[in-house]
Amino acid sequence: MGKHTGAHIVWDWNGTLFHDNDAIIGATNAAFGELGLEPITMERYRALYCVPVPKFYERLLGRLPTDAEWEVMDETFHRYYAAHRGRCGLTEGVADLLAGWRSAGRSQSILSMYVHDELVPLVRGFGIAEHFVRVDGRTGPSGGSKAEHMVRHLASLAAVDPARTVVIGDAADDAVAALHVGARAVLYTGGSHSRASLEGVGVPVVDSLAEAVVEAERLAA
């Protein structure tokens, strides 16, 4: 990694490094179809989406899904998403941003709520795995918050100081996870949340990943 300066980025994957909005909305509508719900637009999705995911479904159903409904919707979502993610690519400029951060002697990692065994080969397939000191996906049940996963992720990175760590993601839950471990956060508007929903979190909100990296530099200085 070269000379280590202490600043570290924890990147989110879906909706941040990986521009998979089309697959996400298609999978969401496939899951909704299992309960007879009408499909929703990307704009409505971004206005209402929240974590944990069952709460998002509650906003649309008017109640929390039952355990049986959640199981069906979750399975449908992941089956559809896996079939359609191949049409998606990295967010514009990602390769250069990752290379630039690394060449400056700084470290970076990925923490995603996407299933670990599918995330790792996906990252490798884009030829960017060398830029990360660690890549962690979800290993437990889906639907929860990223906060506890962030605790384990940073604990596995002994050389990383949470106070000089910045989480870059597209969801309010990324900021919640960052604050949970004493890190900072920058939220990106190109993924699952609208700017309006992100601005209420109280962390910097940006419209490009290039801006996010500039903010990360400032926050981790």
Side-chain angles (χ1 to χ4, degrees):
M1 294 292 294
K3 184 180 178 182
H4 184 57
T5 63
H8 182 83
I9 291 175
V10 178
W11 292 95
D12 174 55
W13 179 248
N14 302 96
T16 304
L17 293 177
F18 189 43
H19 187 65
D20 58 350
N21 289 357
D22 288 345
I24 290 286
I25 191 64
T28 298
N29 282 328
F32 287 171
E34 292 293 327
L35 296 192
L37 294 174
E38 292 294 319
I40 64 171
T41 63
M42 191 68 206
E43 290 72 24
R44 182 163 168 76
Y45 174 92
R46 296 176 78 242
L48 295 178
Y49 182 74
C50 64
V51 173
V53 177
K55 293 292 290 182
F56 169 53
Y57 290 156
E58 182 182 24
R59 291 181 174 185
L60 292 150
L61 284 169
R63 60 173 175 80
L64 281 169
T66 66
D67 289 346
E69 288 171 336
W70 164 252
E71 186 175 336
V72 169
M73 294 173 80
D74 190 50
E75 189 279 329
T76 301
F77 178 96
H78 286 96
R79 175 164 37 84
Y80 183 100
Y81 180 85
H84 291 81
R85 70 184 185 197
R87 302 176 186 176
C88 304
L90 296 176
T91 301
E92 184 177 358
V94 158
D96 289 341
L97 290 172
L98 297 177
W101 186 265
R102 182 186 179 208
S103 66
R106 305 180 182 105
S107 61
Q108 54 199 330
S109 58
I110 293 176
L111 176 61
S112 172
M113 296 298 280
Y114 190 48
V115 64
H116 182 78
D117 290 344
E118 295 185 32
L119 172 67
V120 172
L122 194 53
V123 173
R124 287 177 181 156
F126 282 112
I128 58 173
E130 65 178 358
H131 297 306
F132 305 107
V133 295
R134 189 174 182 90
V135 175
D136 282 334
R138 176 178 52 79
T139 55
S142 62
S145 172
K146 187 178 274 189
E148 292 305 319
H149 296 269
M150 187 68 72
V151 172
R152 291 190 291 272
H153 183 72
L154 288 190
S156 70
L157 300 172
V160 170
D161 178 4
R164 297 202 63 200
T165 296
V166 179
V167 177
I168 298 178
D170 69 316
D173 191 54
D174 291 302
V176 171
L179 296 173
H180 186 70
V181 296
R184 312 292 284 277
V186 179
L187 298 180
Y188 163 61
T189 63
S192 61
H193 280 46
S194 66
R195 171 175 274 278
S197 63
L198 294 177
E199 286 179 336
V201 182
V203 302
V205 177
V206 298
D207 296 320
S208 73
L209 294 185
E211 293 174 86
V213 170
V214 170
E215 277 295 306
E217 261 187 305
R218 181 182 68 82
L219 292 171

